[in-house]
Amino acid sequence: PLFHKFKSAQAISAAMQKPVIIKGAEMGTLAGAIYEDDDLKNCHEIGHSLVANGTVADVAWMVTDSLSTDSDFQPSGSSFLPSFNEAQSLNLMERPFMTRTITIRGFDASDDTVDRERLLNTICTANPVSLDGKPNVLFHTGLLQTAKAIKAKVERYIDWAPPSQKIILNGHSIGGSLSVMILLLLAHERGPKFVRNRIVRVYSHGSPPVAVYRPSSSSPQPKGKTNEDEAKKKKESNDSSSSPIPSVIIPRADDKKTKGNILSPTLLQQQDKEEATNTKSKSSSDGRSSKK
């Protein structure tokens, strides 16, 4: 009920409770742990081992390893191999494998080890910029440069991980935004196949949008439609919107006809009937006068 008016809000089915709620809560805890002084202890409490951490472009990051299963990311009962029976599918869903999580911190006003004013200026540098001259997708300029700097530092931890180890990108606030941008940068530089094979999930907690898609004006028209049809439809819409709007004259409350009463549909109908009767009587009187 709280989010029922949001078009993007969806009910979480029983089969998705573990990958959405439980795993999401784990990643949320990890995204909060990076704000704490003792992040090592907080990581251990949720089953993560700290691999590396640091600060780039006034933004803190950390890399952790943990065990996951397919059921952490897939609906319960789903099978990747349809030839297997249900029991075998469930066993596969609980097969453990290593995951590496790269968590990026959001803006922390209490951290005096970074230049907070410079980071704020970076966040406020929001003029749109395209990537490699492609105008269809525009990015937040300041955070794009920050994402490139963080990616250059943490990308080695992706390459050093074995091929079977999946990667998770995680972050809160602008940390989540930077995680999304790093995903887009990896897809741009290494291709979507690499991202599908290595990046299992991106968790973004309360993050502002940092990119916008702008369709090209030269993009192909949908089948069955032409530019002339679109122009004609637009012209008809403009013509209909420019048609005169009927005006309604409301008499004042001290008008003799209203006698100080508040106007109502019933009162207006009575006034119309009286005016029609008076007009008819006057026409009849004028007709008799002309005969004389």
Side-chain angles (χ1 to χ4, degrees):
L2 183 60
F3 301 105
H4 69 284
K5 291 186 178 180
F6 290 85
K7 294 182 179 180
S8 59
Q10 297 179 1
I12 300 174
S13 63
M16 291 297 293
Q17 286 186 2
K18 185 175 182 181
V20 175
I21 298 177
I22 298 177
K23 196 65 178 180
E26 177 188 331
M27 291 296 110
T29 303
L30 198 62
I34 196 173
Y35 288 90
E36 303 292 336
D37 294 332
D38 194 356
D39 51 2
L40 179 61
K41 178 183 176 182
N42 294 326
C43 290
H44 287 172
E45 288 179 351
I46 58 174
H48 285 249
S49 61
L50 185 63
V51 176
N53 61 354
T55 302
V56 177
D58 302 309
V59 177
W61 57 269
M62 70 177 179
V63 180
T64 58
D65 282 349
S66 62
L67 279 175
S68 300
T69 63
D70 288 333
S71 61
D72 289 328
F73 309 105
Q74 299 293 335
S76 60
S78 64
S79 173
F80 296 104
L81 301 174
S83 60
F84 280 29
N85 58 36
E86 183 177 356
Q88 290 172 318
S89 297
L90 291 175
N91 289 335
L92 282 177
M93 293 294 289
E94 296 305 323
R95 178 191 59 188
F97 59 89
M98 292 295 296
T99 53
R100 174 160 290 179
T101 304
I102 300 173
T103 301
I104 303 174
R105 192 182 68 182
F107 179 78
D108 187 358
S110 64
D111 187 3
D112 56 1
T113 63
V114 299
D115 192 332
R116 290 165 290 187
E117 184 177 353
R118 183 171 57 191
L119 180 56
L120 278 175
N121 288 333
T122 300
I123 296 172
C124 294
T125 308
N127 52 304
V129 63
S130 61
L131 192 63
D132 291 347
K134 297 180 179 179
N136 285 4
V137 181
L138 300 176
F139 294 90
H140 183 293
T141 301
L143 291 184
L144 178 61
Q145 299 304 320
T146 304
K148 288 180 177 180
I150 297 175
K151 171 183 164 294
K153 188 68 176 180
V154 304
E155 196 169 10
R156 67 190 68 178
Y157 297 101
I158 298 177
D159 295 332
W160 290 347
S164 60
Q165 188 171 9
K166 301 299 183 182
I167 308 298
I168 298 173
L169 299 174
N170 180 43
H172 164 258
S173 185
I174 64 167
S177 302
L178 293 168
S179 297
V180 173
M181 298 189 80
I182 290 175
L183 175 75
L184 298 175
L185 289 172
L186 288 171
H188 176 72
E189 296 176 5
R190 300 198 178 194
K193 185 177 179 180
F194 172 84
V195 170
R196 284 193 295 265
N197 290 338
R198 298 306 309 272
I199 312 297
V200 64
R201 284 291 184 275
V202 176
Y203 291 90
S204 177
H205 312 273
S207 304
V210 289
V212 62
Y213 173 69
R214 184 175 61 182
S216 174
S217 58
S218 60
S219 58
Q221 296 290 329
K223 187 176 181 180
K225 292 185 178 181
T226 62
N227 291 330
E228 294 180 359
D229 294 336
E230 292 295 329
K232 183 178 179 182
K233 185 178 180 180
K234 185 176 181 181
K235 184 177 183 301
E236 291 175 351
S237 176
N238 292 336
D239 292 342
S240 62
S241 62
S242 61
S243 59
I245 301 175
S247 59
V248 179
I249 301 175
I250 301 178
R252 297 177 302 173
D254 58 350
D255 196 304
K256 293 181 179 180
K257 292 183 180 181
T258 63
K259 298 180 181 180
N261 297 326
I262 298 175
L263 289 176
S264 66
T266 304
L267 183 60
L268 291 175
Q269 291 176 1
Q270 291 177 356
Q271 292 179 9
D272 293 339
K273 289 181 180 179
E274 291 176 2
E275 291 179 357
T277 302
N278 295 336
T279 303
K280 186 176 181 181
S281 300
K282 184 177 179 181
S283 300
S284 301
S285 176
D286 292 342
R288 288 195 296 270
S289 300
S290 60
K291 288 181 180 179
K292 291 179 181 180

Coordinates of all heavy atoms in Angstrom, one line a residue, residues 251-261 263 267 271 274-275:
P251 N -22.9 34.9 -12.8 CA -23.4 36.2 -12.3 C -22.9 36.4 -10.8 O -22.6 35.4 -10.2 CB -24.9 36.1 -12.3 CG -25.2 34.7 -12.4 CD -24.1 34.0 -13.1
R252 N -22.8 37.6 -10.4 CA -22.3 37.9 -9.1 C -23.4 37.5 -8.1 O -24.5 37.3 -8.4 CB -22.0 39.4 -8.9 CG -20.9 39.9 -9.8 CD -20.7 41.3 -9.6 NE -21.9 42.1 -10.0 CZ -22.1 43.4 -9.8 NH1 -21.1 44.1 -9.2 NH2 -23.2 44.0 -10.1
A253 N -22.9 37.3 -6.8 CA -23.8 36.9 -5.8 C -24.9 37.9 -5.5 O -26.0 37.6 -4.9 CB -23.0 36.6 -4.5
D254 N -24.6 39.2 -5.8 CA -25.6 40.3 -5.5 C -26.5 40.6 -6.7 O -27.3 41.5 -6.7 CB -24.9 41.6 -5.1 CG -23.9 42.1 -6.1 OD1 -23.7 41.3 -7.1 OD2 -23.4 43.2 -6.0
D255 N -26.4 39.7 -7.7 CA -27.3 39.9 -8.9 C -28.7 39.7 -8.5 O -29.0 38.8 -7.7 CB -26.9 38.9 -10.0 CG -27.5 39.2 -11.3 OD1 -28.7 39.4 -11.4 OD2 -26.7 39.4 -12.3
K256 N -29.7 40.4 -9.1 CA -31.1 40.3 -8.7 C -31.6 38.9 -9.0 O -32.5 38.4 -8.3 CB -31.9 41.4 -9.4 CG -31.5 42.8 -9.0 CD -32.4 43.8 -9.7 CE -32.0 45.2 -9.3 NZ -32.9 46.2 -10.0
K257 N -31.1 38.3 -10.1 CA -31.6 37.0 -10.4 C -31.3 35.9 -9.4 O -32.0 35.0 -9.2 CB -31.1 36.6 -11.8 CG -31.6 37.4 -12.9 CD -31.1 36.9 -14.3 CE -31.6 37.8 -15.4 NZ -31.1 37.3 -16.7
T258 N -30.1 36.0 -8.8 CA -29.6 35.1 -7.9 C -30.2 35.4 -6.5 O -30.2 34.5 -5.6 CB -28.1 35.0 -7.8 OG1 -27.6 36.3 -7.4 CG2 -27.5 34.7 -9.2
K259 N -30.5 36.7 -6.2 CA -31.0 37.1 -4.9 C -30.1 36.7 -3.8 O -30.5 36.3 -2.7 CB -32.4 36.5 -4.7 CG -33.4 36.9 -5.7 CD -34.8 36.3 -5.5 CE -35.8 36.7 -6.5 NZ -37.1 36.1 -6.3
G260 N -28.8 36.8 -4.1 CA -27.8 36.6 -3.0 C -27.6 35.1 -2.7 O -26.8 34.8 -1.8
N261 N -28.3 34.2 -3.4 CA -28.0 32.8 -3.1 C -26.8 32.3 -3.8 O -26.4 32.9 -4.9 CB -29.3 32.0 -3.6 CG -30.5 32.4 -2.8 OD1 -30.4 32.7 -1.6 ND2 -31.7 32.3 -3.5
L263 N -24.9 30.0 -6.3 CA -25.3 29.4 -7.6 C -25.3 27.9 -7.5 O -24.4 27.3 -6.9 CB -24.4 29.9 -8.7 CG -24.6 31.4 -9.1 CD1 -23.6 31.7 -10.2 CD2 -26.0 31.6 -9.6
L267 N -30.7 26.2 -9.7 CA -31.0 27.6 -9.8 C -30.7 28.1 -11.2 O -31.5 28.9 -11.8 CB -30.2 28.4 -8.8 CG -30.4 29.9 -8.7 CD1 -31.9 30.1 -8.3 CD2 -29.5 30.5 -7.7
Q271 N -33.4 29.8 -13.9 CA -33.2 31.1 -14.6 C -33.4 30.9 -16.1 O -34.0 31.8 -16.7 CB -31.8 31.6 -14.2 CG -31.6 32.0 -12.8 CD -30.2 32.5 -12.5 OE1 -29.5 32.7 -13.4 NE2 -29.9 32.7 -11.2
E274 N -37.1 30.8 -16.9 CA -37.7 32.1 -16.8 C -37.4 33.0 -18.0 O -38.3 33.6 -18.5 CB -37.3 32.8 -15.5 CG -37.8 32.1 -14.2 CD -37.3 32.7 -13.0 OE1 -36.5 33.7 -13.1 OE2 -37.6 32.3 -11.9
E275 N -36.1 32.9 -18.4 CA -35.7 33.8 -19.5 C -36.4 33.3 -20.8 O -36.8 34.1 -21.7 CB -34.2 33.7 -19.7 CG -33.5 34.4 -18.6 CD -32.0 34.3 -18.8 OE1 -31.5 33.6 -19.7 OE2 -31.2 34.9 -18.0

